[in-house]
Every structure is written in structure tokens, then in C-alpha cells.
Amino acid sequence: MLKKLMFAGLALAAAGAHAADYPARAITMIIPFSAGGPTDVIGRILGQTMAKSLGQSVVVENATGAGGTIAAGKVARAAPDGYTILLHHNGMSTSPALYRKLAFNPMTDFEYVGQVADVPMVLLARKNLAPNTLPELLTYIKANKDKLTMGNAGLGAVSHQCGMLFLSAIGTQLTTVPYKGTAPAMNDLLGGQIDLLCDQTTSTTSYIKTGKVKVFGATTKARIASLPQVPTLAEQGIAGFEMYVWHGMYAPKGTPKAVVDRLGTALREALKDPNVKARFAELGTEPVPAEKATPEGLRTHLKAEIDKWGPIYKKAGAYAD
């Protein structure tokens, strides 16, 4: 017993010493989606600024596939030393309902660093699709539902989630085309290979402003500040429609509290940085309030989202093996 107590004491002392020296080398931020996609863009902006506070570089690694579960599983299995962290979006809350065999538990296999940003979404179409207004689009969809396609970034992605809500709201089903990320889906929308896409402002604002896509509405309660000319879907008659993308930062379970605190401090400092705010604004989003960029803020929100979306996906019968 004495030896066990001595070993435990030494382990705690070693962990404390490690935390005091943290970080001593580069940190890897795992992004579940492809380079150039919305979550990737946010992660790279954050990483560059967090690196200044941490005194070490933050290297982005894209681990794509399976709606973000590959990346989340990789971080859940990583050494709990603070050198591997995860930036994930709503998919963290929908994966328990979507995947019968999930290699991790979002509520028990991670330490929470904090929420990052809430991102509005917009309903888009290829530039040469005939309709120009939402009423025209709804009429067109009903007349051509067997011909139209709606892209998404993969099963469980927020673009898939948004598309499900939209089609459910208008009582229509279309052929959906899953991609391995938002960037390739957007490329095919721009190229005319798919007809519709519901996507985040982080990856769509520039295309909307340059007229490379048609936009039919925002998924938020109020109009988006960076796109004031775009009416919401709700104000155009799709009552109660609201959908946005939220992001959170995680570390493996067992990461020392001092390390999580260090990461949290760097995150909150980055979210206050004028350059980060300006770059987020260009993308149509803004950092969350300071009280949300905390472990408890993220834990509470994640639990609420799991409780909200689980029944919706189960009712729809949407599963991925």
C-alpha cells in the first residue's frame, strides 16, 4: 500500500512538473474536415493567434471522414498531455445518434477547453439555377424534385443537418450527395455538378458577394450582419427555421487541469484579439462571449445539443454503421 501511495505521489508530482513546463513543443490541432473548409479556416485563424500566447506553434492536421468521428476518436486515444487537441463543430453532438458503434463518448472521453464561435448558415444554389427568389425555388423544387441534387459535407455534417431540416420543413425529399468535406461540395456547386447546398458563411460569404452562387435565405433568427441583403428563411415563410454552426475545443480525457487551463486562457485571449475578430467578421461570424469559451460553457452546451438532436436523428432513421 505504501509503495502504491508513493507511486501515485510521484505520478502527481510528474504531472505537475509537466504542466508547469507546458507547452515545450508544437501542439497539433486535429480538424475533422478537409483543408479550406469552414472549420479548417476557423482552426487556422485560432491556431496562429493562440501560438503567440502559448509560445509554441499550433499545427493543423486534417483527419477527415465519417462525419468527424475519425478525428474525434484519434484525439480521444491520444496521450493526455495537451499536445493533441480537437476543434469540432455540431457533429460532436449528433454522432451518438448517428453511429451505432461509436469509438468514443463525447461526454466522458474528453476534457473541455471551451466554445469558440457560432456561425450562421445560408441556403445556396448554383449560379445558373432558374429560380431567383425563395418562393420561386420552392415551386421549382416541387416540380423537379426527381432531378435536383443537394450536396453536403457527409453524413452528420452540419450541411447535412441543415439540408435535412430544410427538406423536412418544405415536406420534400431530394437526392443528396455526400462529400468528404464542405470544400469539395462547394467546388461542385460552383461547377454546376450539384444544385443546392446549405453551408456556413465562413465558406460562402465571398462567393455570395461576388455573385458566384445564388442565395435564397439565412438560417438565423435575424439577418446576418455581413449579409444584410439576405432575408432569413423564417421571414420568408418557413416559420421557426433556425440553424447555426457552433464550434468547441477539446483535449483527451485525463489532460491535467493546469494544461487545460493554459489552453483555455490562450483560447480566450485569441477570441479577444482584434485581428481574430476582424477575420471572423469577414467570414460572417464572431467569437462566443467569454463565459461560453470555458470548460463548463462547452460541457453544458454539448449536453443540451446531444439531448436536442438525438431524438431528431433517431426519428428520421438516419444511421451510419
Side-chain angles (χ1 to χ4, degrees):
M1 177 63 74
L2 180 60
K3 287 184 178 181
K4 288 183 179 180
L5 290 173
M6 289 176 63
F7 179 79
L10 288 171
L12 287 172
H18 165 80
D21 294 336
Y22 177 84
R25 54 185 171 85
I27 297 164
T28 298
M29 181 189 293
I30 305 292
I31 303 288
F33 307 104
S34 57
T39 304
D40 178 78
V41 172
I42 286 177
R44 291 178 189 274
I45 292 172
L46 273 181
Q48 291 171 3
T49 307
M50 287 178 66
K52 298 176 185 177
S53 173
L54 293 166
Q56 295 287 345
S57 59
V58 178
V59 180
V60 169
E61 177 183 325
N62 300 93
T64 63
T69 61
I70 290 175
K74 184 173 183 177
V75 175
R77 296 187 301 270
D81 54 14
Y83 290 101
T84 304
I85 58 177
L86 172 71
L87 183 71
H88 202 351
H89 64 25
N90 307 44
M92 197 69 156
S93 63
T94 57
S95 55
L98 278 170
Y99 293 86
R100 292 186 177 94
K101 297 178 181 178
L102 198 60
F104 61 90
N105 185 321
M107 294 304 302
T108 60
D109 291 341
F110 299 90
E111 302 294 344
Y112 308 103
V113 180
Q115 287 189 68
V116 175
D118 293 336
V119 187
M121 302 187 76
V122 284
L123 178 65
L124 306 173
R126 55 182 169 85
K127 183 179 179 179
N128 59 349
L129 195 69
N132 291 306
T133 66
L134 183 64
E136 290 177 1
L137 176 64
L138 298 181
T139 300
Y140 188 84
I141 287 174
K142 292 186 182 299
N144 298 275
K145 61 182 179 180
D146 294 331
K147 302 176 184 178
L148 293 174
T149 56
M150 188 166 202
N152 62 62
L155 184 64
V158 287
S159 52
H160 173 240
Q161 203 173 354
C162 185
M164 278 183 57
L165 287 178
F166 173 69
L167 295 177
S168 175
I170 65 173
T172 303
Q173 292 300 314
L174 300 179
T175 299
T176 57
V177 183
Y179 291 82
K180 291 183 178 180
T182 303
M186 176 58 73
N187 286 337
D188 272 9
L189 186 74
L190 293 170
Q193 282 77 42
I194 56 173
D195 301 304
L196 299 166
L197 178 67
C198 189
D199 199 9
Q200 307 174 45
T201 53
T202 43
S203 58
T204 61
T205 299
S206 63
Y207 298 122
I208 292 170
K209 289 183 175 180
T210 54
K212 293 182 178 179
V213 295
K214 286 186 177 180
V215 58
F216 289 95
T219 67
T220 45
K221 284 184 178 180
R223 294 197 182 194
I224 302 167
S226 59
L227 297 168
Q229 78 281 12
V230 179
T232 68
L233 295 176
E235 72 179 88
Q236 295 181 87
I238 304 182
F241 196 103
E242 183 181 11
M243 176 77 197
Y244 66 93
V245 186
W246 58 271
H247 294 80
M249 186 174 290
Y250 307 80
K253 187 69 175 180
T255 301
K257 184 179 182 301
V259 171
V260 175
D261 289 346
R262 184 76 182 87
L263 287 166
T265 297
L267 171 62
R268 288 184 290 276
E269 288 179 357
L271 294 178
K272 292 188 295 184
D273 185 275
N275 181 57
V276 170
K277 288 184 175 182
R279 294 187 68 184
F280 275 19
E282 291 172 0
L283 298 170
T285 187
E286 61 183 28
V288 298
E291 63 271 16
K292 288 188 176 183
T294 61
E296 189 54 37
L298 177 54
R299 181 186 296 106
T300 300
H301 187 70
L302 175 62
K303 179 63 166 59
E305 288 287 292
I306 290 174
D307 292 344
K308 172 184 175 181
W309 290 105
I312 293 175
Y313 271 89
K314 288 177 182 177
K315 183 178 181 181
Y319 292 102
D321 293 325

